[in-house]
Amino acid sequence: MPTLYLVPTPIGNLEEMTPRAIEILKSVDVIACEDTRNSLKLLQHFDIHTRFVQYHNFNEQESSKGLLQFLKQGKNIAIISDAGYPLISDPGQVIVNKAIGLGYNVVPLSGCNAMLNGLVASGLITQPFAFIGFLPANQKECVKTLNQYKGYPMTLIFYEAPHRIEKMLTSVLEVFGDRQVCVARELTKKHEEFIRGLCSEVIEEVKTAKGEMVVVIEGCSNDPKPAIDMGEIAKLVEEAIAGGLSKSDAIKSVAKLTGMSKNEIYNYIHQN
Ligand code: SAM
């Protein structure tokens, strides 16, 4: 029976390519890549000379048709993405579903994946967890999506780009309140780093951080105390100012009212 192999590739450190992954990539008839230029470097590095074709993220329906033809001809295929597992914030879902539907073997290999590395070293509860992936780039949509996950009790895992991390964590602080967060950066690479702490503290540290990032966030606490909505806090400060208090007195009064620290409120107001 023709087989579709799902082959993870290194997320930075090439030493993490497994012997089985190399063997499968050498033995299949075709390798379907996310980006042929990226994959060519990897394939050359491991002396793999198998025929490869591009598999498009934006048009998975169309490109999966070509791949199904290979399976119909009795050929074995491997799917790889630019890094980590195919299908995890990467293409592959459509062809996997079609191959299962048509009764072909679908065989996953074990290997590299950024979210699990981030999770297990985060220091946050590892089970249960929910992997969310990338939040929408549009700010309004991002806040809307975060609101959907606000009440989830499990640890949440996101992917994020370095140029958006500060904005993302600011939205997280606003929607979730000040939870424990771990930003896992440059995993498996020379400058691997874990920035752990309360969201408000981590925001300060990621301002200049570069490289690829996984964001792991504590789930909604069972503590009956609701997560603090920083937007609401800012509104209370505005109302107190409108009522005649100076800004610093308004912050003091809202801090007393909510039990939050003055600095936390001050920092939020000055960042927004
Ligand atoms: N398929 C990949 C996997 O299994 O993890 C994920 C691909 S997704 C397009 C790329 C995102 O994964 C990056 O923006 C980053 O959030 C995360 N990522 C990938 N490699 C990473 C690394 N070495 N360190 C931290 N995050 C990484």
Side-chain angles (χ1 to χ4, degrees):
M1 173 64 69
T3 299
L4 175 68
Y5 291 95
L6 307 175
V7 180
T9 54
I11 57 168
N13 189 333
L14 287 179
E15 300 286 314
E16 294 195 341
M17 185 79 171
T18 67
R20 185 176 180 218
I22 297 170
E23 183 216 309
I24 294 290
L25 292 179
K26 282 185 174 172
S27 68
V28 291
D29 299 291
V30 181
I31 301 171
C33 316
E34 184 188 358
D35 179 326
T36 46
R37 267 180 310 174
N38 268 341
S39 296
L40 184 60
K41 284 186 217 149
L42 180 90
L43 299 178
Q44 279 176 341
H45 181 88
F46 290 105
D47 204 20
I48 298 165
H49 301 285
T50 308
R51 173 182 177 193
F52 59 92
V53 296
Q54 188 149 18
Y55 183 61
H56 291 275
N57 201 4
F58 0 86
N59 194 354
E60 280 207 41
Q61 290 294 348
E62 219 24 63
S63 40
S64 65
K65 284 184 195 157
L67 297 185
L68 280 180
Q69 281 309 316
F70 289 123
L71 291 171
K72 281 180 188 158
Q73 290 160 12
K75 295 192 160 101
N76 294 323
I77 310 175
I79 298 193
I80 58 173
S81 68
D82 284 350
Y85 268 106
L87 278 81
I88 300 297
S89 291
D90 268 335
Q93 185 77 66
V94 175
I95 181 67
V96 166
N97 290 3
K98 286 190 176 171
I100 292 170
L102 291 168
Y104 295 112
N105 291 327
V106 175
V107 175
L109 271 64
S110 306
C112 307
N113 160 250
M115 70 153 145
L116 284 177
N117 281 31
L119 174 67
V120 294
S122 67
L124 297 172
I125 305 287
T126 52
Q127 285 148 240
F129 74 86
F131 171 64
I132 315 297
F134 289 101
L135 284 165
N138 174 284
Q139 180 64 8
K140 234 182 177 175
E141 289 301 312
C142 170
V143 169
K144 197 170 149 195
T145 308
L146 284 171
N147 268 302
Q148 284 170 11
Y149 298 117
K150 183 177 171 175
Y152 277 38
M154 62 286 275
T155 300
L156 301 170
I157 311 176
F158 298 87
Y159 283 162
E160 193 47 282
H163 65 278
R164 285 209 302 257
I165 187 73
E166 190 186 342
K167 213 169 185 184
M168 180 232 183
L169 288 180
T170 304
S171 303
V172 166
L173 181 62
E174 191 178 321
V175 178
F176 289 180
D178 213 1
R179 296 190 193 172
Q180 290 291 333
V181 165
C182 172
V183 173
R185 204 174 73 72
E186 295 288 84
L187 290 160
T188 77
K189 303 181 196 173
K190 194 174 163 197
H191 297 293
E192 179 175 84
E193 183 188 19
F194 299 90
I195 306 169
R196 305 181 182 93
L198 283 171
C199 188
S200 56
E201 298 161 348
V202 173
I203 288 175
E204 293 305 313
E205 289 193 53
V206 295
K207 282 186 174 160
T208 53
K210 295 190 171 64
E212 295 190 286
M213 296 170 179
V214 177
V215 182
V216 188
I217 303 179
E218 181 186 15
C220 179
S221 159
N222 288 330
D223 185 341
K225 190 164 56 116
I228 294 161
D229 180 339
M230 293 306 288
E232 284 304 314
I233 300 286
K235 261 193 223 149
L236 287 176
V237 173
E238 270 171 33
E239 283 167 16
I241 293 171
L245 290 187
S246 69
K247 191 189 249 180
S248 87
D249 282 344
I251 291 174
K252 227 187 264 174
S253 131
V254 173
K256 210 167 168 194
L257 188 75
T258 58
M260 288 184 69
S261 82
K262 280 182 288 181
N263 275 351
E264 233 175 323
I265 300 177
Y266 182 89
N267 286 341
Y268 177 79
I269 286 173
H270 280 264
Q271 277 162 16
N272 290 277

